[in-house]
Amino acid sequence: MACLAPQRFSCENRHKVVNQYRCNKKGFPKCSLSVPYLQRLHKLCDSGNLNEAFTLLHTQSLVSEAIGVLLESCARHKDIQIGRKLHAMVSASSQFRNDVVLNTRIVTMYSTCGSPLDSRSAFHAVKRKNLFLYNALLSNYARNELFHDAISLFVELISVTEFVPDNFTLPCVLGACLDAELGEAVHALVLKLGLFSDAFVGNALVAMYGKFGFVESAVKVFETMPQRNLVSWNSMMRVFSENRDFGECYGVLKGMLSVEEEGFVPDVVTMVTVIPACAAQGEVKLGMVVHGLALKLGLGEEVMVINSLVDMYSKCGSIHKARDLFHLNGEKNVVSWNTMIGGYSKEGDCCRAFELLREMQREEKVKVNEVTLLNVLPACVEELQVVRLKELHGYAFRHGFWTSELVANAFVAAYAKCGSMDSAGCVFRGMEGKTVSSWNALIGALAQNGFPRKALDLYFVMTNSGINPDWFTVGSLLSACARLKFLRGGKQIHGFMLRNGLELDEFIGISLLSLYVQCDKMLLAKLIFDKMDYKSSVCWNIMITGFSRNELPSEALDTFRQMISNGVKPQEFAVMGVLGACSQVSALRLGKEVHSFALKAHLTDDTFVTCALVDMYAKCGCMEKSQNIFDRVNDKDEALWNVIIAGYGIHGHGLKAIELFELMQKKCCRPDSFTFIGLLMACNHSGLVTEGLQYFGQMQTLYGVTPKLEHYACVVDMLGRAGQLSEALKLVNELPDEPDSGIWSSLLSSCRKYRDLDIGEEVSKRLLELEPNKAENYVLLSNLYAGLGKWDDVRKVRQRMKEIGLHKDAGCSWIEIGGKVYRFLVGDGSLLESKAVQQTWINLEKKIRKIGYKPDTSCVLHELEEEEKVKILKNHSEKLAISFGLLSTAKGKTLRICKNLRICVDCHNAIKLVSKVVEREIVVRDNKRFHHFKNGTCTCGDYW
């Protein structure tokens, strides 16, 4: 890490200028060399012929200036061998041994060549030291990130010597500060010594506060600086960029350009500070503006600027622009190649990444380094790429990169992503002196590639070997627990974090959110989410999809709105999550708004977003709109066919679903397991039992798809709905796997419908053995008995529920009005309009009674008087929702209701007649299928 003083001049370079000045002003030896000899020495040094220059030095009388010229050249060319010879020459000479100027240059030379130990030795060998020598060693420590040594030397300087720190000392010390408290103490010393007026010192203060996240303090220093130079503005931009306040970073650039009297013109450093800020936000348009500014200022051909632009375009998804810039770059360095290879790698373009790597190997001016390998390895993510990965593995061995722990760890991760866990394990076991990072590489690979249990086991091996986990270990373990839905283990890791003070950074925060969402603990996830200072788009995506998946659609929609209001740009996952939430409550208007947003954000080209849109419109009862989106897609994959077939299935359009199934095969798209679930469901809801059994029989024989429990569940339900209860029970008893509760409960529901007590009691016994603590199972059995008038048995079942502490789910319906979702419970009177709602139904009932409606009290499965049963029927939730919808919408508008339970016969009969008297279409989605009521009929044909 270089000294955080000025960006243009390092501490030692300023010392060199001042030392040369003082040599001429304070009696130090002046140049006594002949001009031709001096010119020849400089020419040899500039061309890098240092051995010849050293030989030439011996042909003349040794003078400090000649030695100094060659020492500076050794530093410039990083030739430590000649530098050591010069050091030995100086040490052996009584004339130069204590020459502070030469010894300062020796310390600087060793620092530049990356040998701080030699710098320290040279420093301590000098008997008479001055401030410049202290400054040179301080700069050396700062340059080589020996911050403790730098602070110790500074303490020695101010406590043991009589020297007073100057404007060269303090920037190096500020760069070496290990915490903000120490930096503030140095700041106080700056003020005490009256050095705040020096721009270099002020710049170092800005950089120090920014490094520790004290942005307000950095701004205060910047605004109160008596003098500011270009480096000051660049430092302030860097502070905002590193602390992710990108808007302020752009603001500083605008401010600098608007200060006409100071006349600051952005330089290369300005560009390479602002351009990465554009990349971090994905602001490609703003990046293009900065690109234009760079061209206008004549910086467009600077290799550092080009590299930053290539990186920015790559990260913003404009890989073609990045590629064009890369190829136009006539002065490519290793960073140029690494950046472009990294861009292809991030895009998942393994072929182009490897092609560029081979092209790089043919270049003479650049050499592949560790960063090249680290950039290309992430492109290897598929099993087919293992051969290329092994080729790269061999290259790393041959060229000595294998000693790098980072490279070895990257190979572990790459092999794991390609499905070669054995190779990943071999690389790991071949590492010498494994650090926590080495263990993290394999633990993370196991956790992320389908082996979460092995990841947890390896963690225990790691801790038993005496290595403590770090934040990356914790993140991987949380990911493993999330995949296993191992809540207890995840909570233990969370507790470990809190006890050991591990900060909730973005990576850990995402892992914790994923854990609690996967374990269906959305309240805990929300608490973590609300505490996060910085919420990335990934965090928002997790919360939106989590709420949607846990059937909390209102919370998902609220989170999506909050995400947009916070200025976070939703990506594909967020849009998919919120569309799923709209699907759950049939919120068509909100779904249309999200669709519009996705179109404007150019997200509808994504296959998953398209599938989510088709699914949303289908589940909001708009199959025509769903079909339109489906038809506009040219290259339809299996997922899209599956969604549209399932959509027609839940609407009971079995023949249309079969037609699409046949068309899918003609388009050379092979049906999979999900295809048959949608097809069987369509046959089920349409009463197409013969066709359904035919397709079920062909699944494995013609299409090679092995039936799973989900397929058997569809067939059992299909047979049950058709009254073929014995055949359904026979199929259940012959299942290759143990039937789950869903199969038994659907069969029990059919037994209630067809009043089959014998099979019903047999099925209920099996069901209650599987799920003895689920209220719905007891309700099904109670309804079976109630339908047969066996009230004593009903009371026994309900008493059993009371003893266990189970409660029946209340009937609940939703309706969306004006973008807001309204919820109604059976007998609900919570709305202000409840009296008007109830009166609306009373008026409707009067009208439909005139055209044949008669309350079907057999739907009330309670031992009550007939009048009480009729009263209960009036307050069914879907009737309340329809009444509210009629009150709140314009005449002729379609009403869309969503219900959590299966619609009863009485409501079904009543809504058919309501649709006729109000002359509206009413769409009701219960927990099984859709019902479209219009002109007194329903699309289900009374079969549901």
Side-chain angles (χ1 to χ4, degrees):
M1 175 179 173
C3 176
L4 292 180
Q7 290 168 289
R8 283 182 170 177
F9 301 100
S10 64
C11 289
E12 62 268 23
N13 287 338
R14 292 199 304 279
H15 299 159
K16 177 179 67 178
V17 174
V18 172
N19 288 344
Q20 288 175 343
Y21 172 82
R22 293 184 179 179
C23 283
N24 291 327
K25 294 292 182 181
K26 294 195 175 183
F28 286 95
K30 294 186 179 181
C31 177
S32 59
L33 300 175
S34 64
V35 173
Y37 171 57
L38 182 61
Q39 289 177 340
R40 187 180 176 195
L41 183 67
H42 274 290
K43 187 175 181 181
L44 290 170
C45 288
D46 290 342
S47 63
N49 294 323
L50 302 190
N51 282 308
E52 191 175 340
F54 183 74
T55 303
L56 178 64
L57 191 66
H58 281 284
T59 66
Q60 300 288 324
S61 299
L62 290 177
V63 293
S64 62
E65 185 171 351
I67 298 171
V69 169
L70 193 49
L71 279 170
E72 288 177 4
S73 187
C74 289
R76 187 165 62 254
H77 294 285
K78 291 184 170 52
D79 191 334
I80 197 170
Q81 299 305 321
I82 298 297
R84 284 199 171 105
K85 291 178 181 180
L86 291 168
H87 183 194
M89 182 186 299
V90 170
S91 299
S93 170
S94 58
Q95 179 184 358
F96 304 123
R97 186 181 302 134
N98 292 313
D99 188 320
V100 177
V101 175
L102 285 179
N103 280 290
T104 300
R105 287 175 177 169
I106 289 169
V107 169
T108 301
M109 180 273 297
Y110 281 130
S111 167
T112 308
C113 292
S115 183
L117 292 177
D118 286 319
S119 285
R120 181 183 301 164
S121 298
F123 173 83
H124 288 301
V126 181
K127 292 181 180 179
R128 292 195 303 273
K129 302 177 178 68
N130 64 9
L131 179 60
F132 307 115
L133 195 59
Y134 270 96
N135 286 348
L137 188 58
L138 270 173
S139 176
N140 163 48
Y141 286 149
R143 173 192 290 275
N144 291 283
E145 300 186 16
L146 299 172
F147 301 135
H148 287 286
D149 291 327
I151 299 302
S152 298
L153 184 66
F154 177 65
V155 171
E156 177 188 322
L157 172 68
I158 61 176
S159 61
V160 176
T161 75
E162 75 280 5
F163 305 129
V164 178
D166 64 5
N167 55 340
F168 301 129
T169 315
L170 294 172
C172 294
V173 176
L174 286 166
C177 288
L178 297 169
D179 54 57
E181 187 176 357
L182 179 58
E184 288 173 339
V186 179
H187 188 176
L189 181 60
V190 167
L191 297 174
K192 183 178 179 180
L193 295 174
L195 295 175
F196 185 64
S197 60
D198 185 274
F200 296 122
V201 176
N203 296 341
L205 282 167
V206 169
M208 181 274 296
Y209 282 120
K211 179 175 68 174
F212 296 117
F214 285 57
V215 178
E216 290 183 6
S217 298
V219 171
K220 188 174 181 180
V221 170
F222 176 77
E223 290 178 344
T224 56
M225 288 174 67
Q227 291 184 345
R228 288 194 290 245
N229 55 22
L230 180 59
V231 178
S232 311
W233 290 92
N234 288 342
S235 298
M236 199 64 241
M237 287 179 222
R238 185 183 181 92
V239 167
F240 283 124
S241 180
E242 289 181 341
N243 287 277
R244 305 188 70 84
D245 198 340
F246 303 117
E248 291 294 336
C249 177
Y250 309 139
V252 174
L253 175 61
K254 291 178 182 177
M256 183 181 80
L257 294 172
S258 65
V259 182
E260 295 180 2
E261 62 273 15
E262 296 185 4
F264 293 127
V265 178
D267 63 359
V268 171
V269 176
T270 314
M271 295 294 111
V272 299
T273 301
V274 175
I275 293 170
C278 301
Q281 280 196 305
E283 291 284 356
V284 69
K285 291 183 179 179
L286 188 57
M288 292 172 72
V289 171
V290 179
H291 186 181
L293 178 62
L295 293 172
K296 184 178 180 181
L297 296 173
L299 302 173
E301 294 184 1
E302 292 285 344
V303 69
M304 290 179 63
V305 174
I306 295 175
N307 292 344
S308 294
L309 287 167
V310 169
D311 183 62
M312 181 273 295
Y313 283 123
S314 297
K315 289 178 178 175
C316 292
S318 299
I319 195 70
H320 299 298
K321 290 182 179 178
R323 182 188 61 202
D324 293 342
L325 260 181
F326 172 78
H327 287 305
L328 289 172
N329 184 3
E331 298 294 330
K332 299 182 188 72
N333 57 17
V334 68
V335 177
S336 310
W337 290 91
N338 289 347
T339 303
M340 195 65 236
I341 289 171
Y344 281 132
S345 188
K346 291 182 182 71
E347 286 282 311
D349 195 338
C350 184
C351 293
R352 283 199 170 93
F354 271 85
E355 284 175 9
L356 204 59
L357 175 61
R358 293 188 181 97
E359 188 179 339
M360 180 183 181
Q361 290 173 282
R362 292 192 292 269
E363 287 288 322
E364 295 181 359
K365 294 181 180 179
V366 295
K367 298 292 182 183
V368 172
N369 60 14
E370 290 180 15
V371 177
T372 316
L373 296 178
L374 294 173
N375 279 354
V376 77
L377 281 170
C380 302
V381 294
E382 296 179 1
E383 189 174 348
L384 294 173
Q385 294 159 357
V386 172
V387 175
R388 282 179 174 164
L389 185 55
K390 289 186 175 181
E391 175 188 336
L392 201 60
H393 193 169
Y395 179 88
F397 259 120
R398 292 192 302 273
H399 290 81
F401 294 119
W402 202 245
T403 55
S404 167
E405 182 186 348
L406 287 174
V407 171
N409 293 345
F411 271 104
V412 170
Y415 274 122
K417 288 177 183 176
C418 293
S420 184
M421 290 307 304
D422 291 339
S423 297
C426 286
V427 173
F428 174 76
R429 288 189 293 274
M431 294 184 195
E432 295 183 4
K434 299 180 184 69
T435 65
V436 65
S437 298
S438 309
W439 288 91
N440 286 343
L442 189 56
I443 290 172
L446 290 167
Q448 296 166 20
N449 292 281
F451 301 95
R453 177 61 63 187
K454 289 184 178 180
L456 295 176
D457 293 341
L458 188 63
Y459 163 70
F460 292 115
V461 177
M462 170 183 139
T463 53
N464 289 336
S465 67
I467 296 179
N468 293 321
D470 63 5
W471 64 270
F472 190 91
T473 322
V474 168
S476 296
L477 295 174
L478 287 171
S479 177
C481 290
R483 290 172 185 270
L484 292 169
K485 296 190 177 181
F486 183 26
L487 180 62
R488 184 169 60 86
K491 283 186 173 181
Q492 289 174 350
I493 296 166
H494 192 179
F496 172 85
M497 286 172 51
L498 297 174
R499 290 192 302 274
N500 290 275
L502 287 177
E503 295 182 2
L504 188 65
D505 67 358
E506 183 184 352
F507 177 72
I508 295 292
I510 289 172
S511 299
L512 272 174
L513 289 180
S514 298
L515 168 73
Y516 290 124
V517 167
Q518 290 288 341
C519 295
D520 301 332
K521 299 294 181 183
M522 288 307 301
L523 178 59
L524 293 174
K526 185 71 164 61
L527 291 172
I528 297 294
F529 180 75
D530 290 340
K531 288 181 181 178
M532 296 175 72
D533 294 328
Y534 171 72
K535 301 178 180 73
S536 68
S537 59
V538 177
C539 301
W540 291 96
N541 292 343
I542 291 172
M543 293 303 296
I544 291 169
T545 54
F547 281 129
S548 179
R549 196 183 69 184
N550 283 278
E551 298 184 359
L552 296 168
S554 297
E555 288 81 352
L557 296 170
D558 290 343
T559 306
F560 184 75
R561 293 189 189 100
Q562 187 183 351
M563 178 184 187
I564 295 175
S565 65
N566 283 15
V568 181
K569 185 179 179 181
Q571 299 298 323
E572 289 84 354
F573 282 107
V575 170
M576 288 162 58
V578 78
L579 285 172
C582 294
S583 300
Q584 290 178 29
V585 291
S586 291
L588 180 61
R589 175 173 170 174
L590 287 172
K592 286 182 175 180
E593 290 176 3
V594 177
H595 186 185
S596 177
F597 172 86
L599 286 169
K600 292 176 183 176
H602 306 290
L603 299 177
T604 51
D605 291 337
D606 183 86
T607 302
F608 295 107
V609 173
T610 303
C611 286
L613 283 167
V614 172
D615 184 62
M616 182 274 294
Y617 281 114
K619 290 180 178 175
C620 289
C622 293
M623 279 311 302
E624 183 179 352
K625 184 68 174 175
S626 188
Q627 181 72 50
N628 287 340
I629 296 173
F630 175 82
D631 290 338
R632 286 200 296 269
V633 179
N634 294 323
D635 297 322
K636 301 177 178 68
D637 61 5
E638 290 87 350
L640 194 57
W641 285 100
N642 292 346
V643 169
I644 194 72
I645 289 171
Y648 279 111
I650 59 175
H651 282 267
H653 300 309
L655 294 177
K656 180 64 176 177
I658 291 173
E659 178 188 333
L660 284 167
F661 176 73
E662 300 297 338
L663 182 60
M664 173 185 183
Q665 297 171 77
K666 290 178 182 178
K667 297 292 184 180
C668 300
C669 199
R670 189 172 182 80
D672 59 15
S673 176
F674 294 103
T675 316
F676 282 99
I677 290 176
L679 183 63
L680 292 172
M681 183 170 56
C683 294
N684 179 13
H685 290 309
S686 305
L688 302 174
V689 179
T690 303
E691 292 83 349
L693 291 175
Q694 177 186 338
Y695 285 118
F696 180 69
Q698 293 174 351
M699 273 182 64
Q700 190 159 4
T701 56
L702 288 184
Y703 302 100
V705 178
T706 303
K708 299 178 181 178
L709 276 180
E710 296 93 326
H711 303 97
Y712 285 105
C714 287
V715 176
V716 169
D717 195 45
M718 179 171 59
L719 292 169
R721 284 174 190 269
Q724 301 179 30
L725 301 178
S726 299
E727 291 83 352
L729 182 60
K730 181 182 178 183
L731 178 61
V732 173
N733 290 328
E734 293 174 353
L735 290 181
D737 298 315
E738 190 68 26
D740 61 11
S741 59
I743 291 176
W744 290 118
S745 63
S746 70
L747 186 52
L748 182 55
S749 179
S750 297
C751 291
R752 184 195 72 80
K753 177 181 178 181
Y754 289 101
R755 303 164 64 87
D756 193 319
L757 181 61
D758 294 335
I759 294 179
E761 287 186 328
E762 181 182 347
V763 170
S764 66
K765 181 181 178 182
R766 303 287 293 274
L767 178 60
L768 294 176
E769 286 175 356
L770 278 176
E771 290 184 341
N773 295 313
K774 189 173 181 180
E776 180 186 340
N777 300 334
Y778 291 93
V779 171
L780 284 172
L781 179 59
S782 173
N783 291 346
L784 171 67
Y785 287 135
L788 295 168
K790 301 175 73 66
W791 298 111
D792 289 338
D793 291 318
V794 170
R795 283 189 284 273
K796 289 177 183 178
V797 173
R798 290 180 178 168
Q799 180 61 33
R800 178 61 180 153
M801 288 179 66
K802 187 176 181 181
E803 291 171 358
I804 301 174
L806 301 177
H807 300 280
K808 176 186 176 182
D809 290 337
C812 181
S813 297
W814 298 266
I815 184 171
E816 180 201 30
I817 305 289
K820 184 177 179 181
V821 178
Y822 294 87
R823 184 169 176 262
F824 296 86
L825 291 172
V826 59
D828 192 9
S830 59
L831 281 175
L832 294 174
E833 303 90 337
S834 58
K835 289 185 178 178
V837 168
Q838 291 171 355
Q839 186 60 48
T840 298
W841 183 256
I842 291 171
N843 295 337
L844 281 173
E845 193 171 307
K846 289 179 181 177
K847 293 180 181 179
I848 61 178
R849 279 180 180 269
K850 292 179 181 179
I851 58 174
Y853 170 69
K854 183 178 180 182
D856 189 340
T857 56
S858 67
C859 298
V860 181
L861 302 174
H862 297 276
E863 194 176 9
L864 298 170
E865 295 294 330
E866 196 71 12
E867 186 177 339
E868 287 295 317
K869 291 182 178 182
V870 172
K871 187 176 180 181
I872 289 175
L873 289 176
K874 290 178 186 291
N875 288 299
H876 276 195
S877 62
E878 55 266 58
K879 291 173 181 173
L880 299 176
I882 289 170
S883 300
F884 180 74
L886 292 171
L887 281 172
S888 308
T889 59
K891 186 176 181 180
K893 185 174 178 62
T894 299
L895 300 183
R896 301 179 189 278
I897 316 296
C898 189
K899 182 176 171 63
N900 68 330
L901 302 176
R902 189 178 177 190
I903 191 171
C904 72
V905 174
D906 178 73
C907 288
H908 194 271
N909 293 336
I911 297 171
K912 282 196 296 185
L913 298 174
V914 168
S915 70
K916 186 173 183 178
V917 298
V918 300
E919 297 181 346
R920 293 208 204 187
E921 182 179 2
I922 302 173
V923 180
V924 178
R925 181 182 123 192
D926 65 13
N927 67 343
K928 296 294 183 182
R929 58 162 296 157
F930 271 90
H931 300 265
H932 291 253
F933 300 94
K934 191 173 183 180
N935 295 325
T937 62
C938 178
T939 53
C940 75
D942 296 339
Y943 182 86
W944 79 97

